[in-house]
Amino acid sequence: MTLHRPHGTLADGTDPIRLGPADAGWTYTGLRVLALAPGATRAVSTGEFEAFVLPLAGSLAVSVDGEVFELTGRDSVFTRVTDFAYVPRDAEVTLSTKDGAEVALPMARCTRRLAPKYGPAPEIPVEVRGSGNATRQVTNFGVPGVWDHADKLSACELITPDGNWSSYPPHKHDEASDCEVVNEEIYYFRIAGQDGITPSRDGFGFHKTYTADGTIDEDVTVRDGDVFLIPRGYHGPCVAAPGYPMYYLNVLAGPADDRSMAFCDDPAHTWVRQSWEKQTDDPRCPVTSAEGRVNP
């Protein structure tokens, strides 16, 4: 299996990313990214998947099951926490935009059909995690305990200021144990250019995934629009190169009846968490809120 999918390798017509479980070699988790031209309307059939409709750039209307959700969206993933919508399996969804939009559809194969629902940006918790040069922002829009209106799907966004580390200490969730549940996970990266706001392929970062037995040991350079698949093993760190802030969307789903994002640290590195108590948080976090940029 190829775990690193660079930008362009998952393109399908006008869609930058079309990744289903069969493409990833697993069972539950998928991701689509759609680019909508100004004035465009797109029809999406969810089939056996529930999904979030998450604006990456621009605004759009979401029509499903006789309801219409107007998503305010944002200029870029580095400018604002966005509102979003949940759409159920077995649904015909219409996406329409006046000025153009780029939208992510994190997806999970599921069995229960729930009602569509709107997620307002002001109600989304923004967490500052880590400390020192491991300080990062976690936007918990679709995680258990915050958003419980989903059958299998969990998702969150992270922003790592340039020069910082995130997804650290390395952790895993590939077996049912006292500290973890099984989840397949997708990392979808956006990297800002020189202005710290506009996504650009000029910037870059790094990502690591590995297993204790060495059967997976990946150290890759990631650029704007890249995807990395986590079927199993420890993942982290993600490192944002100096000058280039890093965003990633995490999409998770698995076989457990109750949604959970529980994980186990790599025991060799879990001590790092205690070291944060003696460090100072990076003042650049949080980066964004529902109102806009917190640290211009």
Side-chain angles (χ1 to χ4, degrees), residues 62-128:
V62 181
S63 301
V64 56
D65 286 6
E67 297 192 65
V68 178
F69 304 119
E70 296 286 347
L71 303 186
T72 301
R74 51 193 168 184
D75 292 335
S76 125
V77 294
F78 297 100
T79 60
R80 181 177 177 267
V81 172
T82 185
D83 52 353
F84 68 99
Y86 169 88
V87 294
R89 61 166 290 161
D90 302 316
E92 298 298 321
V93 183
T94 301
L95 309 176
S96 57
T97 178
K98 177 183 177 183
D99 299 317
E102 187 175 31
V103 58
L105 301 177
M107 305 181 300
R109 178 178 277 125
C110 66
T111 55
R112 290 193 300 147
R113 191 182 197 277
L114 306 179
K117 189 173 180 179
Y118 174 69
E123 296 181 10
I124 298 172
V126 174
E127 174 189 358
V128 175

Side-chain angles (χ1 to χ4, degrees), residues 24-42:
W26 55 35
T27 306
Y28 297 98
T29 311
L31 174 67
R32 290 183 67 179
V33 175
L34 286 65
L36 304 179
T41 297
R42 289 284 300 276

Side-chain angles (χ1 to χ4, degrees), residues 43-270:
V44 176
S45 298
T46 58
E48 57 186 335
F49 298 90
E50 60 184 347
F52 294 126
V53 181
L54 181 74
L56 301 172
S59 59
L60 69 153
V62 181
S63 301
V64 56
D65 286 6
E67 297 192 65
V68 178
F69 304 119
E70 296 286 347
L71 303 186
T72 301
R74 51 193 168 184
D75 292 335
S76 125
V77 294
F78 297 100
T79 60
R80 181 177 177 267
V81 172
T82 185
D83 52 353
F84 68 99
Y86 169 88
V87 294
R89 61 166 290 161
D90 302 316
E92 298 298 321
V93 183
T94 301
L95 309 176
S96 57
T97 178
K98 177 183 177 183
D99 299 317
E102 187 175 31
V103 58
L105 301 177
M107 305 181 300
R109 178 178 277 125
C110 66
T111 55
R112 290 193 300 147
R113 191 182 197 277
L114 306 179
K117 189 173 180 179
Y118 174 69
E123 296 181 10
I124 298 172
V126 174
E127 174 189 358
V128 175
R129 189 175 295 174
S131 193
N133 64 351
T135 307
R136 61 272 199 183
Q137 170 179 324
V138 184
T139 304
N140 290 307
F141 75 93
V143 305
V146 172
W147 183 270
D148 291 327
H149 190 76
D151 186 21
K152 294 288 188 183
L153 179 62
S154 298
C156 63
E157 300 178 298
L158 284 89
I159 298 178
T160 308
D162 65 291
N164 280 14
W165 297 48
S166 57
S167 289
Y168 193 73
H171 58 281
K172 73 180 185 76
H173 38 72
D174 56 18
E175 59 184 332
S177 70
D178 291 341
C179 65
E180 65 183 297
V181 298
V182 177
N183 272 319
E184 308 158 350
E185 183 169 11
I186 297 171
Y187 274 61
Y188 170 60
F189 292 91
R190 305 306 303 261
I191 308 293
Q194 292 185 39
D195 65 3
I197 292 174
T198 307
S200 169
R201 291 285 291 175
D202 293 338
F204 65 97
F206 300 98
H207 172 85
K208 182 174 183 64
T209 290
Y210 61 97
T211 55
D213 63 8
T215 55
I216 296 176
D217 192 3
E218 298 272 352
D219 300 279
V220 299
T221 300
V222 291
R223 295 185 181 271
D224 185 63
D226 285 7
V227 166
F228 198 93
L229 307 177
I230 315 289
R232 58 192 178 90
Y234 295 106
H235 36 290
C238 294
V239 187
Y244 300 108
M246 171 187 285
Y247 161 101
Y248 48 90
L249 171 64
N250 287 146
V251 187
L252 303 95
D257 291 334
D258 295 323
R259 291 164 63 239
S260 172
M261 295 172 64
F263 60 85
C264 291
D265 285 343
D266 182 336
H269 304 296
T270 193

